[in-house]
Amino acid sequence: MHFDLEKEQRTNAWKSCIDMLEDFYENTEDIPVSGESSREEVVSDLVTGFEKTVELDEALNHVISGLRKHAVHTPHPDYFGLFNPRPNFPSILADAITATFNPQLAAWSHAPFATEVESKLVQEVGVKFGYPRESVDGVFTAGGAEANLTALLSAIHSKYPKFSEDGVHALPRRIRIYCSAESHHTIIKSARICGLGSTCVSHIEADEKQQMIPEALEDQIAKDKSRGFEPLMIVATTGTTGSGAIDPIQKLAHIASEHNCWLHADAAYGGAVVLTKDYKHLVAGIELADSITFDAHKWLSVPMATSLFLTRHKQILWQTFGISADYMPNDETHIQELGSFGHSIQWSRRFIGLKLYLPLLVFGWKGYEETVLGQIELGSTLRQKLLQNNWKIYNETDLPVVCFSDERFAEDPQFAESLAAEIVGEGKAWISTYPIENVLTIRACIANYATTEEGLDKLVGDLNTSRNAYQK
Ligand SMILES: *Cc1c(COP(=O)(O)O)cnc(C)c1O
């Protein structure tokens, strides 16, 4: 089969593909943020069977119009959702370049340039988080989920090196993992995947700012120890998914060292503040963490599957994942030194880091600092506008995550649901709801560099209109 197609066909396809994508990218704000497709409608738009084939142009048209029609458009400036950004332009090109070269990052010798790029980025980002340059190690991962799993595996192997041979039988007692009640569910999933089970995860109470209460953690550890359980890992979430809360890392670091626990900082979202002079103090102490999860695809405006696992323990990844195989090129010294298959859950590995390297070449850390700062400021602007319009803010964070409601309807969970559903349903914006204490709040987050103050005015206006209609 002539999979390459002819040069002329390719030239035309590149061009029409670019035209269609450019039309979406340039005019994203003019289309509804989301549609209301039923499952039947979506399925009836698909082509299946694949007996009859079509020209590439028609196929391109089919997939691009399907994606335009049936999706929540996370790149839309009025998407106030779950940390899914609009990808910056160089990072989009990076994905196309990677697909074309398809470098294999399992081994240094197969992809020296790509491997070195990732290795340098791991170091640079690690240093931004405050790790000493000479001790930073890490690996790009497909997501925060994989990075959190990597953290748990590292914690286990660090304390119980025999785990790689004997599995759970290497554990002397039932172990315990601590995270806040507001932490991400991937911690539980990681525990399940590691064969420890979800009951080993202990959710520690959070205070009225949704931050883990260190005293509650200490109490729980004491209780667990007296029952013969073994504390293994403490997870500090620095920027919770629900309300942008930041756990008190310094205090948690102290408790971790007292009980010989691995401290993991889940900074998937909030970690980006380390790129700003003005806000990096929010995560002061993160350099004390044994490992860090950081998602570039959350707040660094790059396409999905761009995350980092970082650690200040140079040997731990190799200790956890190192393995040799006869069919691998024999470049063990490099393998040990660099983020390759001996460093990762993955085997064949995509050149993930290019999605960060290319925009950094073009915009620099400075460009990222400006972007993150701009979004933090828009978050404050949104809070002010809501307060001026008699909304009440229920969370307390400097990050651009705003959870709000109208105090008169605080007891009525229908209120937030109904307003969010109406605004989303009409394709005006994308917002969600989140429970804080006993109030179901409306949640709006800014993670998009294209979001503007006018967009915030429109959102608040739409919210006011829906509130008025709800009252009647
Ligand atoms: C999003 C998120 C995760 C999971 O990361 P993915 O990249 O979505 O897999 C983990 N922790 C926190 C705090 C998150 O916000």
Side-chain angles (χ1 to χ4, degrees), residues 93-127:
L93 292 183
D95 246 355
I97 295 167
T98 294
T100 310
F101 280 91
N102 202 27
Q104 167 59 290
L105 275 77
W108 185 94
S109 59
H110 264 57
F113 180 83
T115 312
E116 293 289 356
V117 164
E118 290 204 343
S119 160
K120 284 285 170 288
L121 284 178
V122 160
Q123 210 183 59
E124 288 243 338
V125 181
V127 169

XYZ file of all heavy atoms in Angstrom, residues 93-127:
262
model
N 2.923 22.814 16.649
C 3.886 22.368 15.636
C 4.751 21.234 16.192
O 5.092 20.297 15.474
C 4.787 23.532 15.210
C 4.125 24.670 14.430
C 5.174 25.698 14.017
C 3.412 24.152 13.192
N 5.082 21.336 17.477
C 5.933 20.311 18.093
C 5.307 18.926 17.962
O 5.992 17.946 17.664
C 6.172 20.653 19.564
N 3.987 18.860 18.154
C 3.314 17.560 18.045
C 3.415 17.015 16.621
O 3.616 15.820 16.422
C 1.833 17.701 18.456
C 1.527 16.920 19.740
O 2.426 16.214 20.237
O 0.392 17.027 20.231
N 3.282 17.896 15.636
C 3.365 17.456 14.237
C 4.788 17.014 13.898
O 4.997 16.007 13.214
C 2.918 18.585 13.311
N 5.773 17.753 14.407
C 7.178 17.410 14.135
C 7.511 16.053 14.758
O 8.107 15.184 14.129
C 8.116 18.512 14.688
C 7.891 19.828 13.929
C 9.575 18.077 14.593
C 8.535 21.048 14.595
N 7.074 15.864 15.997
C 7.347 14.597 16.682
C 6.715 13.427 15.933
O 7.336 12.385 15.744
C 6.825 14.657 18.132
O 7.599 15.618 18.839
C 6.953 13.322 18.831
N 5.500 13.623 15.463
C 4.826 12.532 14.750
C 5.572 12.193 13.466
O 5.651 11.028 13.073
C 3.382 12.923 14.449
N 6.154 13.195 12.827
C 6.825 12.951 11.552
C 8.156 12.220 11.750
O 8.455 11.267 11.053
C 7.052 14.292 10.814
O 5.825 15.012 10.795
C 7.524 14.049 9.394
N 8.941 12.652 12.719
C 10.237 12.004 12.961
C 10.085 10.726 13.774
O 10.887 9.817 13.665
C 11.194 12.963 13.688
C 11.835 13.944 12.759
C 11.241 15.174 12.512
C 13.009 13.626 12.106
C 11.821 16.081 11.645
C 13.610 14.525 11.231
C 13.003 15.759 11.003
N 9.073 10.690 14.591
C 8.800 9.533 15.450
C 10.033 8.996 16.174
O 10.336 7.808 16.102
C 8.150 8.423 14.614
C 7.369 7.456 15.461
O 6.889 7.828 16.544
N 7.239 6.229 15.023
N 10.785 9.863 16.849
C 11.980 9.368 17.529
C 11.615 8.422 18.666
O 10.597 8.607 19.332
C 12.632 10.647 18.082
C 11.535 11.641 18.178
C 10.534 11.294 17.119
N 12.451 7.414 18.858
C 12.204 6.412 19.906
C 13.061 6.771 21.114
O 14.275 6.616 21.085
C 12.554 5.023 19.357
C 12.646 3.917 20.382
C 11.389 3.685 21.186
O 11.025 4.519 22.022
N 10.725 2.573 20.962
N 12.436 7.262 22.164
C 13.200 7.719 23.324
C 13.489 6.636 24.356
O 13.993 6.928 25.434
C 12.508 8.925 23.997
C 12.878 10.278 23.355
C 12.126 10.472 22.050
C 12.600 11.426 24.295
N 13.193 5.387 23.996
C 13.501 4.315 24.944
C 15.005 4.238 25.209
O 15.427 3.849 26.290
C 12.989 2.975 24.422
N 15.793 4.580 24.198
C 17.252 4.495 24.367
C 17.912 5.748 23.833
O 17.532 6.253 22.782
C 17.785 3.273 23.635
N 18.912 6.187 24.542
C 19.650 7.390 24.143
C 20.167 7.267 22.712
O 20.042 8.175 21.904
C 20.815 7.618 25.118
C 21.583 8.885 24.877
C 21.383 10.086 25.477
C 22.678 9.078 23.969
N 22.275 11.014 24.999
C 23.085 10.422 24.071
C 23.356 8.232 23.064
C 24.139 10.939 23.322
C 24.403 8.760 22.324
C 24.790 10.103 22.460
N 20.733 6.105 22.380
C 21.394 5.948 21.082
C 20.415 6.065 19.915
O 20.808 6.359 18.804
C 22.115 4.603 21.022
O 21.180 3.564 21.227
N 19.134 5.832 20.157
C 18.149 5.972 19.079
C 17.701 7.409 18.884
O 17.199 7.749 17.827
C 16.913 5.113 19.389
C 16.945 3.783 18.730
N 17.978 2.896 18.930
C 16.096 3.179 17.861
C 17.752 1.812 18.223
N 16.616 1.959 17.556
N 17.806 8.209 19.912
C 17.253 9.565 19.823
C 18.095 10.522 20.666
O 17.601 11.106 21.628
C 15.801 9.555 20.304
N 19.382 10.676 20.284
C 20.259 11.495 21.142
C 19.755 12.928 21.322
O 19.736 13.424 22.449
C 21.606 11.472 20.412
C 21.527 10.352 19.447
C 20.093 10.098 19.140
N 19.329 13.565 20.243
C 18.895 14.959 20.359
C 17.672 15.053 21.272
O 17.627 15.832 22.230
C 18.573 15.528 18.967
C 18.112 16.969 18.991
C 19.034 18.005 19.036
C 16.749 17.296 18.977
C 18.615 19.338 19.072
C 16.328 18.614 19.021
C 17.265 19.644 19.060
N 16.677 14.233 20.972
C 15.428 14.284 21.737
C 15.678 13.946 23.213
O 15.151 14.610 24.115
C 14.417 13.310 21.133
N 16.504 12.925 23.452
C 16.757 12.528 24.836
C 17.473 13.630 25.605
O 17.149 13.906 26.762
C 17.593 11.226 24.891
O 17.003 10.283 24.011
C 17.613 10.637 26.281
N 18.449 14.267 24.933
C 19.177 15.342 25.607
C 18.278 16.549 25.873
O 18.396 17.197 26.907
C 20.411 15.767 24.793
C 21.511 14.705 24.699
C 22.254 14.470 26.016
O 21.998 15.161 27.013
O 23.103 13.544 26.040
N 17.373 16.844 24.939
C 16.430 17.949 25.148
C 15.611 17.668 26.407
O 15.489 18.515 27.302
C 15.490 18.137 23.928
C 14.284 18.988 24.304
C 16.233 18.775 22.762
N 15.068 16.460 26.491
C 14.230 16.141 27.657
C 15.052 16.169 28.947
O 14.595 16.676 29.975
C 13.551 14.775 27.474
C 12.480 14.811 26.405
C 11.427 13.731 26.553
O 11.658 12.743 27.275
O 10.353 13.892 25.934
N 16.266 15.655 28.846
C 17.088 15.603 30.043
C 17.414 17.014 30.547
O 17.370 17.284 31.752
C 18.342 14.802 29.694
O 19.343 15.069 30.601
N 17.707 17.926 29.599
C 17.998 19.312 29.998
C 16.745 19.978 30.575
O 16.825 20.744 31.542
C 18.486 20.132 28.797
C 19.925 19.824 28.413
C 20.923 20.458 29.390
C 22.338 19.974 29.161
N 22.604 18.571 29.583
N 15.586 19.701 29.969
C 14.349 20.313 30.468
C 14.024 19.821 31.873
O 13.601 20.590 32.733
C 13.178 20.010 29.531
C 13.127 20.820 28.227
C 11.944 20.367 27.384
C 13.020 22.316 28.507
N 14.229 18.535 32.097
C 13.998 17.976 33.432
C 14.845 18.748 34.433
O 14.374 19.171 35.496
C 14.343 16.466 33.457
C 14.577 15.978 34.879
C 13.240 15.648 32.785
N 16.106 18.983 34.044
C 17.010 19.687 34.947
C 16.555 21.137 35.180
O 16.474 21.594 36.315
C 18.411 19.666 34.337
C 19.492 19.678 35.367
C 20.853 19.723 34.701
O 21.157 20.644 33.952
N 21.656 18.709 34.967
N 16.225 21.824 34.072
C 15.815 23.239 34.177
C 14.565 23.391 35.037
O 14.481 24.280 35.880
C 15.496 23.798 32.789
C 16.703 24.005 31.936
C 16.909 25.480 31.590
O 15.933 26.252 31.652
O 18.044 25.829 31.259
N 13.582 22.533 34.788
C 12.335 22.659 35.536
C 12.571 22.282 36.996
O 12.079 22.937 37.909
C 11.195 21.819 34.893
C 9.908 21.981 35.679
C 10.959 22.236 33.445
N 13.386 21.251 37.201
C 13.720 20.858 38.573
C 14.368 22.014 39.331
O 14.044 22.266 40.500
N 15.267 22.730 38.671
C 15.929 23.871 39.301
C 14.915 24.986 39.589
O 14.970 25.629 40.640
C 17.110 24.373 38.417
C 17.636 25.709 38.900
C 18.224 23.328 38.409
